[in-house]
Amino acid sequence: MIVVLSGGVGGARLCAGLMQVFAPDEMLIVVNNGDDFDHWGLRVCPDLDTVMYTLSGRVDEQQGWGVRQETWQVLEAVVAAGGEGWFRIGDGDLATHLIRTEQLRAGRSLSSVTQALMHTHGIRHQVVPSTDDHHRSLVLTDAGLLDFQTYFVRRRCEPRLLGLQMDSRAADGGPARPAQAWAAAMMRQVDAVLVCPSNPILSIQPMLTLLGVRDWLRRRSFPVLAVSPFIGGGAIKGPAAKIFGECGLETSVRGLAGWYEGLVDGWLVDSNDAEEVRTLAGLGFQARVANTWLDSDERRRGVAGALKEWLRDGVALAPGREGGRIAVDRT
């Protein structure tokens, strides 16, 4: 079993490639849902939906999110009536949120609802939210503590990020736990974990704070490979480079390796960063080079194939030291 940790756009694109090289029973895709929120009275799960639309071929490739050939009549009517339009929900996307919210209110878990939605979209690979518990990312900024979507969409990541907090709890009042399918995989023999080129702090970090996840990775007997979200010192997509800089971290694979210290064994870096392989080797990390731009099916399949080949060749484990050292608190 390969466990894949994914955020939104970049992660979804790599997952589309992995889906072409791993069979449905060989892979579990775990998607960050720390950015879930309620809007217009509906439960919105941006990363889960981006993965679903990408894997089903419905995504708006130019934006990287939302539905292709979307219409906006409901949004326009809401704004005309004085409602909020800062978070853009198209008509086709709205159907997903309506169905999800109805089923959640009927008592179904987010995992169960997600499985049904994926099946409806023809996706045979297993895709699950990171948790079924309440687990929301809050962003501490120089403009105060902001809920995730206010920071990410409404404020367009303009405030300086100072840290991340998790508003996180299970139904019994304890800490939020990994979703059942992920927890079950953690108890079985896992062959490898693949970390997508998603934002390390905003997308991957919330998953690392779930109960038992860090310990599982620290005591692992399986390799962890990560695809760098940086190319030439900049992010492939999104604000990862800006955020790393604000946190005093180097916007390079070297900076990533330091942040993930002890949690990642090998790095797949873009061919433009080939010189980083020697640097990483000096730090005790393994690294390989590929064209990591994920802007076509061919390139996505190529990156996925490079990861599968690397796993087949064998990956040595890095020393077990705790990584992800950005300030994170639970509230």
Side-chain angles (χ1 to χ4, degrees):
M1 169 71 71
I2 306 296
V3 175
V4 182
L5 304 183
S6 175
V9 179
R13 289 174 173 174
L14 178 58
C15 288
L18 293 169
M19 193 171 68
Q20 298 180 62
V21 302
F22 290 106
D25 61 352
E26 293 179 316
M27 183 170 68
L28 172 68
I29 299 172
V30 181
V31 182
N32 167 53
N33 59 314
D35 58 351
D36 293 2
F37 79 128
D38 291 336
H39 188 66
W40 297 350
L42 303 174
R43 179 62 49 82
V44 181
C45 303
D47 285 359
L48 278 167
D49 292 342
T50 295
V51 169
M52 180 171 68
Y53 297 147
T54 301
L55 298 189
S56 64
R58 295 185 62 209
V59 76
D60 183 329
E61 287 284 356
Q62 185 172 1
Q63 291 186 135
W65 54 270
V67 179
R68 186 178 64 251
Q69 297 179 333
E70 184 64 280
T71 57
W72 305 93
Q73 293 185 43
V74 173
L75 176 65
E76 292 166 359
V78 167
V79 172
E84 293 189 336
W86 61 269
F87 191 89
R88 291 174 58 79
I89 295 178
D91 301 330
D93 189 28
L94 179 62
T96 297
H97 311 319
L98 287 167
I99 293 169
R100 176 189 292 120
T101 304
E102 179 184 40
Q103 295 187 1
L104 288 173
R105 288 175 179 165
R108 297 184 66 179
S109 69
L110 181 59
S111 288
S112 174
V113 175
T114 299
Q115 182 179 16
L117 286 169
M118 296 290 168
H119 178 76
T120 299
H121 283 73
I123 299 166
R124 296 174 57 218
H125 288 72
Q126 190 173 15
V127 181
V128 299
S130 62
T131 181
D132 287 313
D133 293 329
H134 179 85
H135 191 62
R136 299 290 179 266
S137 298
L138 302 174
V139 186
L140 181 61
T141 75
D142 59 0
L145 186 65
L146 305 175
D147 68 83
F148 184 87
Q149 296 302 338
T150 295
Y151 165 76
F152 193 77
V153 178
R154 194 167 199 166
R155 301 291 296 271
R156 299 183 180 182
C157 303
E158 291 175 356
R160 181 172 180 266
L161 185 143
L162 303 176
L164 198 68
Q165 295 183 9
M166 300 308 300
D167 177 11
S168 180
R169 59 191 176 277
D172 61 6
R177 303 171 177 87
Q180 185 175 357
W182 188 13
M186 290 165 62
M187 297 298 293
R188 299 195 301 267
Q189 180 64 41
V190 171
D191 297 309
V193 168
L194 302 179
V195 182
C196 292
S198 301
N199 189 304
I201 296 171
L202 299 184
S203 296
I204 303 300
Q205 182 72 11
M207 292 190 274
L208 299 179
T209 66
L210 291 166
L211 183 66
V213 172
R214 284 188 184 279
D215 288 340
W216 174 61
L217 290 173
R218 282 201 298 266
R219 57 181 169 78
R220 66 189 180 275
S221 59
F222 51 82
V224 179
L225 297 181
V227 179
S228 171
F230 295 145
I231 294 180
I236 295 175
K237 189 174 180 63
K242 173 183 180 290
I243 290 170
F244 250 50
E246 290 170 348
C247 294
L249 300 167
E250 186 177 320
T251 56
S252 66
V253 183
R254 180 189 179 102
L256 287 166
W259 189 82
Y260 277 111
E261 185 180 9
L263 299 183
V264 172
D265 304 302
W267 287 94
L268 189 68
V269 304
D270 187 74
S271 52
N272 288 302
D273 294 322
E275 70 280 358
E276 298 252 28
V277 172
R278 184 176 299 177
T279 300
L280 289 168
L283 296 171
F285 292 95
Q286 299 169 76
R288 290 192 179 186
V289 175
N291 184 339
T292 60
W293 286 98
L294 299 170
D295 55 353
S296 70
D297 285 340
E298 182 180 1
R299 289 180 175 177
R300 295 167 193 177
R301 185 170 57 251
V303 173
L307 290 168
K308 185 173 185 178
E309 180 180 4
W310 195 352
L311 291 175
R312 186 174 61 242
D313 292 343
V315 183
L317 301 186
R321 298 184 298 272
E322 184 171 357
R325 293 175 294 170
I326 197 69
V328 176
D329 298 309
R330 291 189 179 92
T331 60

